[in-house]
Amino acid sequence: MNWMLLAPIILYFVFIVGIGVYSYRFTDSREGFHLGGRKMSSWVTAISYAFSGMSAFVLIGFVGMVYTMGPSSFYTLIGYNLGFAFSYLFIAKRIRNYSEIVGAYTYTDYFVKRVRGNAHIIRAISALSIVVFMSAYVGSQLAAGGMTIETVFGVSPLVAIIIAGIVVTFYCLFGGFAGVSLTDYFQGILVVIGTAILGIYMIIHAGGWSEVVAQVAASDASLTTASMGAGGSTLFGMIFGFLTLGVAIIGRPHDTIRFFAISSSSEIKKSFAITLTALSITYWGAFLVGYSGRVIFPAIENPEYIFPIALVELTHPLFAGFMISVFLGLLMSTADSQLLSAGSTFAEDIYKKYIDKNASDKRIVMVTRLFIVIVGILSTVVAITNTTSIFWITVYASAGLAATFAPVLVISLYWDRLTNAGVVSGMLSGFITVVVWKSIAPEISWIMTEALPAIFISAIVTIVVSLLTKQPHIERIRYELDRAKKTWA
């Protein structure tokens, strides 16, 4: 075992577990455990929001896509940036304010309190979607970690996945939302810096940008343009498909909950600017890694292995260890957020409402931690048994979460007529559409993923059913909507 390679990783793990233990002091209440007391700064919110959402996709899935598609891969990132921009411009301020107005600690609790109807089905659908899709999502992150550790250390993927699952689950148990957000913040900073350094280093190693472009053109001229040699309807279909990937990041619970916790809605604009800056730097770094990787490793069997192979073969062990820490931080920044979201949903929306209505804050926090362990185990099983590409399982899981929640979330922040029946119908139709679309139309995912048709259907169903039913608290809701749209200092 190369200790120069391993030492930075061990130190990093000790550091993030230490953050989790430090953050334990924020978890003495339900609001403290689930939202960090609504005291997160714009910087922490921005970085944790960005990198709880990007996951292992950047250095595994996207790098492999760049290797295969060249500049055409950037349509995907444009789509994602549009999704992030939409979330900040149309959701962030209002959900921050409205969640505090109704006293919602969890995502599901917000919907229940917003429509003031029969909450049972909302809680059931929400819990089902979160457990199903987040288990798959977290599993994809752990699988990506296993790929990297297997390549770098020659360790069995099974052992690597189990280790990653234990570490992520451990600091979620202690730190709650504050611990997750703080670790996401430090991990995100490392991702931005580390990815940029590796990308620039690989371009220099390959002979400079002009040499990289020349060699890529010699092997496949279509990889020097953003069209891949396509034209007409084929090109349009490709661009449309990749741009629409961005809708799948809107309204996902583990991302959106960050907006609940920011210290003030007046911090939203600053947070937005930080998020897009951090993501843009990371995107370009990852692009340079994938593009130069095509020149440096022209015969690689699986392009998704470019990142770990480049570390092993091109860099000093200390730098490689640092970069592995960056990558593990990236995948864990998503996994920890999803574990916490799943645990909070079960404890607040199932246990307290149906099992022990008089449960103390201390017991609720304990139950949250127990369910985090359960979902962590399920996710580890998914990671061990998964054979699907990291990119596509991430896209599918994101689509499921977005289709269940995004349409009803946006409508709830702007329309006073939204009813309990509308939310139930919208969530259920979105969830079912994603599952059915995957079954009946898997071959056209590159033109239209599950997210777009599912979100469209969910929105239509939500509006139609709400128009056919009655919202008995409409005057109160109009007052709340008016308060929520203002900027709170």
Side-chain angles (χ1 to χ4, degrees), residues 234-452:
T234 301
L235 177 60
F236 174 79
M238 181 189 74
I239 294 174
F240 178 77
F242 287 136
L243 287 179
T244 57
L245 287 174
V247 302
I249 70 170
I250 299 171
R252 297 181 304 186
H254 61 285
D255 304 316
T256 310
I257 198 69
R258 262 63 183 172
F259 298 144
F260 284 49
I262 193 169
S263 59
S264 167
S265 56
S266 63
E267 296 288 307
I268 295 295
K269 290 183 178 179
K270 179 179 177 182
S271 182
F272 179 30
I274 296 168
T275 293
L276 287 192
T277 300
L279 286 174
S280 296
I281 294 172
T282 307
Y283 292 157
W284 275 105
F287 179 84
L288 297 180
V289 171
Y291 209 52
S292 60
R294 188 169 185 91
V295 173
I296 300 170
F297 307 106
I300 191 171
E301 183 177 346
N302 184 351
E304 289 193 339
Y305 278 82
I306 286 288
F307 169 71
I309 290 177
L311 291 177
V312 172
E313 298 191 10
L314 302 180
T315 68
H316 188 278
L318 283 177
F319 179 77
F322 167 76
M323 286 304 300
I324 292 169
S325 300
V326 169
F327 173 74
L328 294 177
L330 184 62
L331 71 90
M332 287 190 294
S333 67
T334 297
D336 60 16
S337 302
Q338 293 165 336
L339 285 175
L340 182 62
S341 182
S344 297
T345 296
F346 179 81
E348 292 286 346
D349 303 313
I350 303 297
Y351 182 83
K352 184 170 178 60
K353 299 301 186 296
Y354 303 114
I355 299 175
D356 186 357
K357 294 182 179 180
N358 298 315
S360 65
D361 283 9
K362 184 176 181 179
R363 178 172 289 274
I364 292 298
V365 171
M366 182 188 71
V367 172
T368 301
R369 288 178 168 134
L370 174 62
F371 200 70
I372 283 173
V373 172
I374 293 172
V375 177
I377 293 171
L378 289 174
S379 301
T380 303
V381 172
V382 170
I384 293 170
T385 58
N386 173 56
T387 58
T388 308
S389 162
I390 300 299
F391 174 79
W392 287 113
I393 194 171
T394 301
V395 168
Y396 178 71
S398 289
L401 294 169
T404 303
F405 297 105
V408 293
L409 173 64
V410 174
I411 292 170
S412 77
L413 296 173
Y414 289 89
W415 193 40
D416 55 17
R417 289 283 306 276
L418 178 66
T419 66
N420 182 82
V423 170
V424 168
S425 302
M427 284 184 168
L428 189 59
S429 61
F431 180 94
I432 292 174
T433 302
V434 168
V435 176
V436 172
W437 187 269
K438 181 70 172 178
S439 302
I440 65 174
E443 70 282 354
I444 63 170
S445 292
W446 66 279
I447 296 177
M448 186 185 298
T449 65
E450 303 85 2
L452 190 62

Side-chain angles (χ1 to χ4, degrees), residues 132-144:
V132 169
F133 292 116
M134 283 195 179
S135 293
Y137 209 140
V138 175
S140 72
Q141 308 312 299
L142 299 181

